[in-house]
Amino acid sequence: MTLNPLANPKGVKLVCELCQKPAFIQCTKCRVTYYCGVEHQKADWLGIHEKICQLLIPLRTPIPFLASDEERQHRKDQLLQRQRHMIDLTRTTGQKLLFEGRHEQAVPAAMQSLRFAIEVHGLASIELVPSYLILGEASIGLGRLSQAEEYLMQAQWTVVKTPECSDAIKSKLYRNLGLLYAAKGEYEESLRQLADDIFHASMEFSPDDIRTSGGYFHMANVFFRQNRMEVADSLYARVTDSWYDYLQKIVSVRTATPIDTTGIGAIAMEINQEEEEGLDEAQEAEAKQVLNAIYDIRDQQSNKKPEIVAKICHALAMLYFILHEVEKAKEYGRKAVVTSEGNPDDELSRSIVEFMKICDSVNEVTM
């Protein structure tokens, strides 16, 4: 990407997007973003700027004089809507990068989400906490535990000062604290924090929701590190069940054959499409990370249980089918079929066979 060296007019102070130090180069695509050097420009581009480059232009371009109150209010509402969109986009991207293990690249996305959240909600708002948590988790992944602790203490302080804080935010906070203590090797405290995560996620969603399953997954990892395999296995099975049921619903909705396309049938189809559950970018990355990690653990165990291995393979097959990676879906589907052989009357085996028929029919349509 081409960069413009800056020759700032006297009195104009431009700062780097990442470190807030004096800027010397400019992004030539948007011309509203500045950097102290090429290293920070590249880091920001890989982390988030490529995605939001053009979206920043209307947010950072000086507002023209507007004569009427109505025009000014419209401009203000439009700006707020764009800022809220940027918060959602940058947070989802940051979370996705974390699940993919790209902790360094998650930092610019989290920093952007924090800036926009401050602009919209102010410095003391509970709405800043999700951004602090992404920064904290990225710091844990990079081994910067002191920095992670600072971000998480800031998040915790904000939660304590906000009586109306949702269980969803409390869940994410305790999950990150659990990860921090696990990284420190303080496993008992990690388990306590993760138990609080699961409690609040269950209150907000349900015990079997995929948004609760993350707490069970990290708790299982702690027991795994402690070599308490019986407990870890039961928790991995619970996580698998949550994702399996959720993915199966999506596949079922997407492959359902409509009865008719007129009258009541058309209305039912429309309602069904509106209610269809799906996965955002971050959830797609989480599903890949979690289910592949559990599959690797199951695959390496000496005392493999066929039905457990078959279920995780089927879950992965459904995930890749939803992501339109049909060949990968068939690969894991075949593994599920082979593993579940010997139980032809088993409900899971029948479900796997039916799923493979769907994959084959998709191939026939696309040929």
Side-chain angles (χ1 to χ4, degrees):
M1 180 179 171
T2 309
L3 295 166
N4 278 348
L6 295 174
N8 297 344
K10 189 174 180 180
V12 175
K13 287 185 69 176
L14 299 173
V15 296
C16 175
E17 193 76 3
L18 292 192
C19 66
Q20 304 300 297
K21 291 180 180 177
F24 301 102
I25 54 178
Q26 175 191 51
C27 171
T28 58
K29 291 185 180 292
C30 65
R31 296 185 178 275
V32 293
T33 310
Y34 308 93
Y35 302 98
C36 62
V38 175
E39 186 178 337
H40 277 188
Q41 181 274 328
K42 286 183 177 177
D44 192 38
W45 181 261
L46 292 172
I48 191 63
H49 192 70
E50 181 180 13
K51 217 168 194 177
I52 65 171
C53 183
Q54 296 303 300
L55 298 176
L56 289 171
I57 296 172
L59 289 168
R60 294 181 176 177
T61 302
I63 302 171
F65 175 75
L66 300 170
S68 72
D69 289 341
E70 186 179 347
E71 286 177 317
R72 285 193 290 272
Q73 186 60 47
H74 175 70
R75 170 69 187 187
K76 186 178 178 181
D77 293 342
Q78 193 178 52
L79 179 64
L80 182 61
Q81 186 179 6
R82 285 173 173 161
Q83 288 172 323
R84 289 183 185 279
H85 171 66
M86 291 292 276
I87 293 171
D88 291 340
L89 176 61
T90 51
R91 279 184 184 163
T92 300
T93 301
Q95 198 65 65
K96 173 180 179 286
L97 292 167
L98 288 179
F99 285 125
E100 292 174 346
R102 295 191 278 170
H103 301 97
E104 195 76 62
Q105 292 178 25
V107 173
M111 291 299 296
Q112 284 287 5
S113 74
L114 182 60
R115 288 194 196 102
F116 283 112
I118 290 170
E119 287 178 18
V120 172
H121 302 290
L123 278 167
S125 173
I126 193 69
E127 298 297 331
L128 274 58
V129 169
S131 300
Y132 287 131
L133 296 180
I134 296 172
L135 287 165
E137 190 172 342
S139 300
I140 293 169
L142 294 166
R144 301 167 187 166
L145 301 188
S146 296
Q147 188 178 56
E149 200 155 11
E150 287 179 21
Y151 285 128
L152 296 184
M153 291 308 103
Q154 180 65 45
Q156 191 169 36
W157 181 86
T158 308
V159 167
V160 169
K161 294 290 183 181
T162 312
E164 68 276 14
C165 176
S166 70
D167 283 305
I169 289 180
K170 289 178 182 177
S171 162
K172 290 179 181 178
L173 170 62
Y174 291 124
R175 187 169 303 178
N176 276 263
L177 288 169
L179 292 174
L180 176 64
Y181 285 111
K184 289 180 172 183
E186 299 177 26
Y187 295 135
E188 293 308 315
E189 183 59 27
S190 174
L191 290 172
R192 191 179 72 80
Q193 298 290 342
L194 291 170
D196 285 341
D197 158 27
I198 292 166
F199 170 77
H200 287 288
S202 298
M203 293 289 289
E204 182 76 18
F205 310 112
S206 80
D208 300 319
D209 193 279
I210 58 169
R211 288 163 290 189
T212 306
S213 71
Y216 287 114
F217 176 70
H218 292 301
M219 186 177 275
N221 289 341
V222 172
F223 283 118
F224 184 87
R225 292 183 197 179
Q226 294 179 312
N227 203 31
R228 295 161 71 179
M229 291 308 302
E230 189 174 339
V231 183
D233 279 342
S234 67
L235 292 172
Y236 286 135
R238 180 158 193 160
V239 175
T240 302
D241 289 344
S242 293
W243 279 103
Y244 184 92
D245 292 343
Y246 188 78
L247 296 170
Q248 194 171 46
K249 285 179 186 175
I250 299 175
V251 171
S252 178
V253 169
R254 292 190 182 179
T255 58
T257 304
I259 297 171
D260 60 43
T261 57
T262 59
I264 295 173
I267 296 170
M269 281 177 62
E270 190 175 331
I271 293 171
N272 201 33
Q273 286 171 354
E274 288 176 359
E275 293 180 349
E276 179 185 337
E277 296 176 291
L279 300 169
D280 63 26
E281 276 191 347
Q283 288 173 325
E284 288 176 3
E286 179 183 10
K288 282 184 179 180
Q289 184 233 352
V290 169
L291 294 177
N292 276 294
I294 295 175
Y295 170 76
D296 289 340
I297 290 168
R298 299 301 193 201
D299 193 48
Q300 292 167 17
Q301 288 176 328
S302 55
N303 56 337
K304 297 177 188 176
K305 294 182 179 178
E307 66 278 9
I308 291 178
V309 177
K311 193 163 194 176
I312 188 66
C313 288
H314 190 194
L316 279 163
M318 290 190 290
L319 172 63
Y320 287 114
F321 178 84
I322 292 164
L323 300 180
H324 306 291
E325 298 181 39
V326 179
E327 288 307 311
K328 257 194 167 180
K330 292 180 75 173
E331 175 192 339
Y332 280 103
R334 284 190 290 267
K335 289 179 181 179
V337 169
V338 170
T339 310
S340 63
E341 281 178 354
N343 295 309
D345 297 326
D346 179 66
E347 185 180 342
L348 175 61
S349 300
R350 291 196 301 273
S351 180
I352 294 167
V353 171
E354 288 302 315
F355 173 77
M356 291 303 290
K357 288 178 183 176
I358 293 170
C359 287
D360 290 336
S361 67
V362 169
N363 267 9
E364 288 171 8
V365 169
T366 54
M367 283 178 65

